[in-house]
Amino acid sequence: MKDWHPNLGRSSSPRYMAIADLIAMDLRSGVLAVGDRLPPQRELAKRLNVDFTTVARGYVEAQKRGLVDSHVGRGTFVTGGVDRERRGFSSDATPDQRRASAIDLTMNMPPEPDDLDLIARMREGMSAVATNLVPLLRYQGFGGSGMDKEAAAAWLSRRGLVPSQDRIFVTPGAHPALLAILSMLAKPGQMVLSEAITYPGIRSIAAQLRLSLTGLPMDEDGILPGAFADACERVAPKALYLNPTLQNPTTITMPQQRREEICAVARRYHVPIIEDDAYGFIPLHGPAPLAAMAPDLAWHIGGLAKCIGAGLRLAFVVAPDMKAAWPFASAMRANNVMASPLTIALATRWIEDGTADAILRFIRAESAARQEMARALLPKGTFQADPLAFNIWLPLPHGWTRSTFASHMRASGIGVVASDAFTVEGPPMEAARVCLGGPVSREALSGALAFMAHALESAPEMASTFF
């Protein structure tokens, strides 16, 4: 380890910026060399007589500039940044990439595959699809071909769904499907129910359609059946939207008994259920879908964004019956014409040859590893999570506000989402969603979570982002 003791007086920048400045200066002067291991953050904070957070932010800033890289269990090492090219080292990062936010924990995405064998297998599937490329550039009938629906049916059967093919539609993502379904079920001004803390996309769609979205109170098992029944008595809702498995953002999975109770209430009041099952394939042995319990009431949306990849822009939709399927197909054609035949062909190929299962296995394993990292680094009992979720839900300790916390994280290059984005009505709770997946490496995530842990254990007054 390099016995590095920088003089903060050599830089006029704020102290955390000065640390990054001095790494660059000492690299140019030869005091530091590529490959040197920098002192641990707590040790350097003690040497400099500054707060740990200052050093943590300094190392994050240095990583943003490409000067250092962090490795879990090994430490922080000088990589050279811009000077690497001057010294004869190559760099894969472009200047724009180095200026980008270092650690974006705002998007709830699955971890991206980094297994070379799996990536090669994915490429083989793309190559196979490309052998029949020209027909895939033509207009296709809406909802997928018979071959594509067979693959969709096989995929959905793993969730206990066995609908006939004429009720299955391959759509260009969950959002267009939600927009079409809600436009069929409710008119402007009419009431739709959801969880009190819910997926931001449904809030945006309801606002676009000028629907009145009302949030139902929740406990650790999801929405309360009694509150659902009371709302049905009072306002005669046109639909109930639910994200019942690994709910975004709370990570709650509604257990079987609660699902049965919700279906019973929906049946009693004839309320259609819109089941957004984006994460349903992630648990190995999750509860049965609502659509399997109440197939005549539930619209099931099995998106592929979270279990394979968002870039496919595909979802498998199961309509309750043919009477509902016909207007749905018309609404989807009017808004989207069709899903991309290229991506449908690729998804079908990956499902048929087992690549989709391999991707799903990777996502499960990597999500579990990242959740374990969060449990190890964050203060015990401070957050809500599931061992396979892509995010954690973080109620903030006393003194912190969601805006102060989000600003403090953002100032250090760490993006999180405040609870305002998920709150249907009323004052938001002081909480934030922290995502663990996407392109962020384990090493970068570890550094971000360590910084976050220290912030949560510190007084909020130490988190000023103004200089």
Side-chain angles (χ1 to χ4, degrees):
M1 180 177 69
K2 186 74 175 181
D3 186 23
W4 187 58
H5 198 308
N7 179 4
L8 296 181
R10 293 167 58 202
S11 172
S12 60
S13 301
R15 287 183 296 181
Y16 85 95
M17 294 284 285
I19 291 171
D21 292 343
L22 293 170
I23 291 173
M25 291 179 192
D26 287 350
L27 182 60
R28 284 194 292 270
S29 67
V31 173
L32 290 175
V34 172
D36 283 345
R37 180 184 171 207
L38 294 179
Q41 295 174 16
R42 292 189 187 279
E43 181 179 323
L44 186 60
K46 187 175 181 180
R47 287 187 194 180
L48 300 179
N49 194 28
V50 298
D51 186 79
F52 167 87
T53 304
T54 300
V55 176
R57 293 180 66 187
Y59 278 17
V60 168
E61 175 62 27
Q63 188 165 351
K64 287 168 63 177
R65 300 184 193 180
L67 297 167
V68 302
D69 198 8
S70 296
H71 301 271
V72 177
R74 294 173 53 207
T76 301
F77 294 83
V78 177
T79 57
V82 176
D83 288 271
R84 293 187 78 186
E85 285 80 7
R86 298 176 187 166
R87 293 164 177 258
F89 292 91
S90 65
S91 172
D92 294 330
T94 66
D96 286 343
Q97 287 172 325
R98 289 196 294 268
R99 293 189 187 100
S101 175
I103 309 168
D104 183 5
L105 307 182
T106 61
M107 292 295 289
N108 212 32
M109 299 184 289
E112 294 186 352
D114 59 2
D115 180 270
L116 296 180
D117 290 339
L118 176 56
I119 292 171
R121 186 172 178 177
M122 294 164 69
R123 286 174 174 159
E124 287 173 6
M126 295 191 73
S127 297
V129 167
T131 61
N132 196 35
L133 185 61
V134 173
L136 297 176
L137 299 178
R138 303 169 187 157
Y139 283 107
Q140 312 284 328
F142 176 78
S145 67
M147 177 182 178
D148 301 321
K149 290 191 175 190
E150 285 178 10
W155 189 250
L156 292 167
S157 69
R158 303 170 197 198
R159 294 284 289 124
L161 295 172
V162 287
S164 58
Q165 280 196 24
D166 52 10
R167 290 171 51 215
I168 298 175
F169 297 90
V170 186
T171 68
H175 269 235
L178 285 168
L179 185 66
I181 294 167
L182 282 170
S183 67
M184 293 164 48
L185 296 179
K187 296 178 181 178
Q190 291 182 328
M191 182 73 69
V192 173
L193 303 176
S194 72
E195 304 102 332
I197 301 173
T198 195
Y199 169 54
I202 197 66
R203 295 181 60 206
S204 300
I205 290 170
Q208 182 177 342
L209 295 175
R210 294 180 292 154
L211 305 178
S212 177
L213 188 66
T214 296
L216 295 174
M218 307 164 67
D219 63 11
E220 65 276 7
D221 289 339
I223 65 166
L224 301 175
F228 179 27
D230 290 344
C232 291
E233 288 280 359
R234 288 185 291 102
V235 297
K238 296 299 179 182
L240 169 66
Y241 167 85
L242 291 175
N243 176 203
T245 301
L246 300 179
Q247 196 250 6
N248 181 7
T250 66
T251 74
I252 290 172
T253 291
M254 185 182 289
Q256 187 81 9
Q257 182 176 343
R258 181 63 59 86
R259 294 178 186 228
E260 292 171 357
E261 293 167 350
I262 295 301
C263 287
V265 174
R267 190 173 300 286
R268 188 189 321 153
Y269 292 97
H270 307 288
V271 178
I273 298 171
I274 303 172
E275 181 177 29
D276 186 356
D277 203 35
Y279 307 90
F281 284 93
I282 303 303
L284 274 170
H285 305 290
L290 297 161
M293 303 175 189
D296 55 325
L297 282 177
W299 289 85
H300 182 87
I301 304 173
L304 300 186
K306 310 301 184 182
C307 57
I308 299 181
L312 285 174
R313 302 310 309 140
L314 291 176
F316 300 147
V317 176
V318 181
D321 51 41
M322 286 307 302
K323 184 178 179 181
W326 298 325
F328 173 72
S330 296
M332 289 297 300
R333 274 196 296 265
N335 287 330
N336 301 277
V337 182
M338 63 180 182
S340 165
L342 279 167
T343 54
I344 294 177
L346 181 59
T348 295
R349 173 77 185 195
W350 281 350
I351 290 170
E352 290 180 341
D353 69 9
T355 301
D357 285 314
I359 296 171
L360 192 51
R361 286 193 295 271
F362 171 86
I363 290 171
R364 288 188 187 118
E366 185 64 20
S367 296
R370 292 174 181 232
Q371 285 288 346
E372 183 60 36
M373 185 185 297
R375 285 192 294 274
L377 292 171
L378 295 178
K380 187 176 181 180
T382 58
F383 62 94
Q384 182 174 315
D386 182 279
L388 290 175
F390 302 162
N391 70 287
I392 62 172
W393 181 240
L394 184 64
L396 297 171
H398 179 72
W400 281 99
T401 66
R402 58 197 186 277
S403 59
T404 301
F405 182 75
S407 295
H408 183 49
M409 293 297 107
R410 185 167 57 250
S412 298
I414 302 169
V416 301
V417 184
S419 58
D420 306 63
F422 312 98
T423 304
V424 176
E425 52 192 340
M429 66 184 294
E430 301 300 346
R433 185 187 72 180
V434 180
C435 299
L436 310 179
V440 177
S441 69
R442 284 197 198 181
E443 290 76 16
L445 179 61
S446 176
L449 291 174
F451 177 83
M452 195 174 297
H454 185 269
L456 293 170
E457 294 173 334
S458 305
E461 303 83 63
M462 302 295 293
S464 173
T465 57
F466 301 97
F467 301 97

